[in-house]
Amino acid sequence: MVQRQFPNPRELAELMRFKKPTLNPTDRRLEKALTIADLRDIAKRRTPKAPFDYTEGAAEGELSLTRARQAFQDVEFHPSILRNVPVVDTSREVLGGPSALPFGIAPTGFTRLMQTEGEEAGAGAAAAAGIPFTLSTLGTTSIEGVKAANPNGRNWFQLYVMKDREISYELARRAAAAGFDTLFFTVDTPVAGARLRDKRNGFSIPPQLTPGTVINAIPRPAWWINFLTTPKLEFASLSSTGGTVGELLDAAMDPTISFADLDVIREIWPGKIVVKGVQTVEDAKLLADTGVDGVVLSNHGGRQLDRAPIPFHLLPDVVREVGNDMEVHLDTGIMNGADIVASIALGARFTLIGRAYLYGLMAGGRRGVDRTIAILRTEIERTMKLLEVATLDELSPKHVTQLTRLQPIARPVADAAELAASRLPVQL
């Protein structure tokens, strides 16, 4: 039988130590975020519907994004045992320079619409974490402003080919002059994808007030106060605004983009060149023959062609064909550090985060981006320790199985079906 006694006050005091309260409300919110999904929930509560949906949404039925995320969930890891791995090294040499983690911040357009600190928060957080930051052609902070926010870190620039080519050329020259070391030549946006959430929300640049937006703003005053009391949005590449994001893209982008444009940019750009938006093995092989430094397997976060290839599924084939000739990077769908570990195991040299970064930004500005990076770092380190690998180079395909739900129809079966259909009698 259990013997009972009066509590000893000294022992009771040791058991009842109260946690020191966090007085800052932003810090208090972010402390509770344990995953990127938690940051997303905070972001949704604090951000008006139109900019949140612009960040969250994808093209048409949003199948490309859904499938990309599902592909990461359909991963089976194969851990080793008894390998004695007390610490792990998450650093990586990428495009001729260091990164403390195997991911960087992807280019995102109109970023200050999500939260007024915008690209400066992303660049500052990247500098503190020792990872690269990528500025979009459609960014809302100047090239020089990003350099000021990340003066000693690695800055990359993402370039669209505009109808007015000289705009693109001048942006590339400015980025080179500012010390950006890598250019992402983006090839998957000849025209804008059908981003239906933006149309349904009436989302425009700059935001237009309607009865709906006013009602939606009532529980989110902090966003509007920040938006109305900070400098006007400015775009490095758009001389005029007024319309949906899709309309602005269609007005600026040029569907005649070709390999000739890549040749011109290679003459202008002195640093590393990576082609972003590659979605087939054949195109990766063509680009390897041109001598570019790398490719990013990406379907633009599902925001362009719906039902596009899943980058994570494409990864092993591309690495097998061109991995010895150039670096293979990957984005789209990453929501967990384990997604990054799986990508590295299957041969990706590096990965990029877009929405995960923006969820943190919307949840808490610069501190929210810091929280995004901290969450992913913890998940990467924990996954590596559980797999019992000490370095990223120790990761290999033996650690990962891709479980697939969407199996392509075998060509002979499809051919037989087409032949059978051609022999059916015509119905009158």
Side-chain angles (χ1 to χ4, degrees), residues 335-416:
M335 289 284 285
N336 190 290
D339 303 340
I340 295 169
V341 171
S343 300
I344 301 300
L346 291 182
R349 187 68 192 170
F350 204 62
T351 63
L352 297 160
I353 60 166
R355 287 181 180 86
Y357 144 59
L358 294 177
Y359 291 145
L361 178 67
M362 291 186 288
R366 162 63 193 275
R367 285 173 287 179
V369 183
D370 289 334
R371 186 63 182 150
T372 289
I373 295 171
I375 288 171
L376 292 174
R377 179 192 293 111
T378 297
E379 291 170 342
I380 290 168
E381 291 175 346
R382 181 171 58 244
T383 303
M384 290 177 66
K385 288 179 179 179
L386 289 172
L387 289 173
E388 299 205 7
V389 294
T391 68
L392 297 174
D393 289 339
E394 292 179 27
L395 290 166
S396 73
K398 72 179 183 181
H399 291 107
V400 175
T401 295
Q402 290 178 307
L403 308 175
T404 58
R405 301 182 184 213
L406 301 173
Q407 291 282 2
I409 298 174
R411 198 61 241 169
V413 175
D415 291 342

Side-chain angles (χ1 to χ4, degrees), residues 137 157-174 183 185-187 189-191 236-238 249-266 268-269:
T137 294
F157 186 69
Q158 175 262 339
L159 184 71
Y160 287 120
V161 172
M162 317 289 278
K163 288 179 179 176
D164 184 344
R165 293 294 198 271
E166 191 53 41
I167 293 177
S168 297
Y169 301 160
E170 180 57 25
L171 288 169
R173 294 186 189 104
R174 281 175 57 192
L183 184 139
F185 184 80
T186 299
V187 296
T189 315
V191 297
S237 58
L238 297 178
L249 287 174
D250 282 338
M253 304 308 168
D254 192 343
T256 68
I257 181 175
S258 69
F259 276 88
D261 291 296
L262 176 58
D263 292 338
V264 173
I265 294 300
R266 292 184 69 182
I268 293 173
W269 185 256

Side-chain angles (χ1 to χ4, degrees), residues 185-188 275-280 283 295-300 331:
F185 184 80
T186 299
V187 296
D188 58 6
V275 177
K276 185 176 185 295
V278 176
Q279 299 179 66
T280 68
D283 282 339
V295 293
V296 180
L297 305 182
S298 169
N299 62 33
H300 211 100
D331 75 13

Side-chain angles (χ1 to χ4, degrees), residues 113-130:
L113 280 172
M114 293 77 162
Q115 203 273 353
T116 190
E117 295 178 50
E119 290 90 353
E120 290 187 4

Side-chain angles (χ1 to χ4, degrees), residues 4 203 240 260 312 355:
R4 299 188 182 275
F203 181 54
S240 62
F312 183 60
R355 287 181 180 86

